[in-house]
Amino acid sequence: MFTQEQIKKAVKSKGYIYFDSPKNYDVNIIGIRCNNNDKVTNLFDDILVLIYKKDGEVIYKEYPITTDPGVRSLKELQNINGCAILVPGQYRSCYMIGTHKTYKALVQRDNVKVYRDKNKDLKYDLDSKTIQNGLFGINIHKSGKDSNIVDNWSAGCQVFKKEKDFNEFMSIITKSAEIFGNKFTYTLLNKNDIK
């Protein structure tokens, strides 16, 4: 859908760090939120881009994910302040390999910013007055084998549609951790940031 150059340009235009070392597995983990009208689709209609080098070659991968919470999470609030929606930005070293429920995933290790949506109207309320900064368990994990609807797979987490994609992602992330340590940066862009 996009090219490595488009993503690199978008990341740098925001003043964010783009990892471009010649070393193997120096990963860029970038979410792209594709929903521009703020209506809840309940679909895995966003993209996670993984870019890194291996033996001098740039590897570029795109996976279907959701960067938005699903219908059940927005209607059955787990937090009195409202359902979390990750604010676009770059979260430097905020993630590590850890345990999400019962399996290895990227888990939050430092503060991130989230909007809070609590009116249950099935529109994402991206109101800057509701932003909270903290540790909320906004993880990067999988859904089912190949899920079609988000529902309660995400209450703010960044969630893979397909288990096999997630497993491939985690195998690459694990190799990166062995070289660079168990700290990962996640960058969330909006689709219209990419030209």
Side-chain angles (χ1 to χ4, degrees):
M1 190 169 178
F2 301 107
T3 67
Q4 182 252 344
E5 281 306 316
Q6 282 178 300
I7 301 294
K8 182 176 181 178
K9 185 178 168 191
V11 169
K12 291 192 159 190
S13 75
K14 294 277 185 187
Y16 301 154
I17 298 295
Y18 182 86
F19 300 98
D20 207 8
S21 121
K23 292 182 179 176
N24 287 348
Y25 300 107
D26 191 10
V27 294
N28 290 278
I29 306 167
I30 300 153
I32 302 165
R33 182 171 284 152
C34 296
N35 185 347
N36 290 326
N37 64 14
D38 299 332
K39 284 197 178 110
V40 176
T41 64
N42 213 28
L43 300 172
F44 292 87
D45 50 8
D46 301 317
I47 298 165
L48 186 135
V49 173
L50 184 64
I51 306 170
Y52 60 98
K53 286 188 181 141
K54 184 178 174 190
D55 302 328
E57 181 189 352
V58 174
I59 309 293
Y60 178 94
K61 295 183 176 286
E62 287 185 4
Y63 304 106
I65 67 164
T66 185
T67 65
D68 305 310
V71 167
R72 277 185 64 191
S73 297
L74 287 159
K75 285 188 164 181
E76 301 167 10
L77 300 179
Q78 299 169 13
N79 185 303
I80 57 164
N81 296 307
C83 188
I85 304 167
L86 189 63
V87 175
Q90 184 168 69
Y91 298 100
R92 294 289 307 278
S93 300
C94 285
Y95 286 87
M96 67 181 186
I97 298 170
T99 302
H100 175 82
K101 302 204 184 283
T102 59
Y103 61 89
K104 295 289 180 209
L106 280 187
V107 299
Q108 193 186 343
R109 62 175 293 278
D110 205 347
N111 291 351
V112 300
K113 290 181 180 174
V114 297
Y115 300 107
R116 290 291 181 182
D117 183 340
K118 64 179 179 180
N119 64 9
K120 304 183 184 182
D121 67 353
L122 296 188
K123 282 189 73 180
Y124 295 119
D125 296 323
L126 310 179
D127 181 351
S128 60
K129 292 195 236 26
T130 69
I131 291 176
Q132 294 181 331
N133 189 41
L135 287 164
F136 308 115
I138 305 298
N139 299 337
I140 302 172
H141 64 86
K142 65 181 178 178
S143 57
K145 194 171 184 69
D146 184 3
S147 300
N148 291 317
I149 57 170
V150 177
D151 264 352
N152 62 345
W153 283 115
S154 173
C157 292
Q158 314 293 283
V159 184
F160 278 72
K161 179 183 192 301
K162 297 178 181 175
E163 184 179 45
K164 73 174 180 58
D165 289 348
F166 174 77
N167 291 342
E168 178 181 90
F169 169 79
M170 286 305 297
S171 72
I172 295 161
I173 292 302
T174 300
K175 287 173 184 163
S176 179
E178 289 165 3
I179 299 166
F180 297 99
N182 193 12
K183 284 185 188 174
F184 295 91
T185 293
Y186 179 63
T187 304
L188 178 60
L189 301 174
N190 284 311
K191 186 179 179 182
N192 56 12
D193 293 327
I194 302 163
K195 310 288 185 243

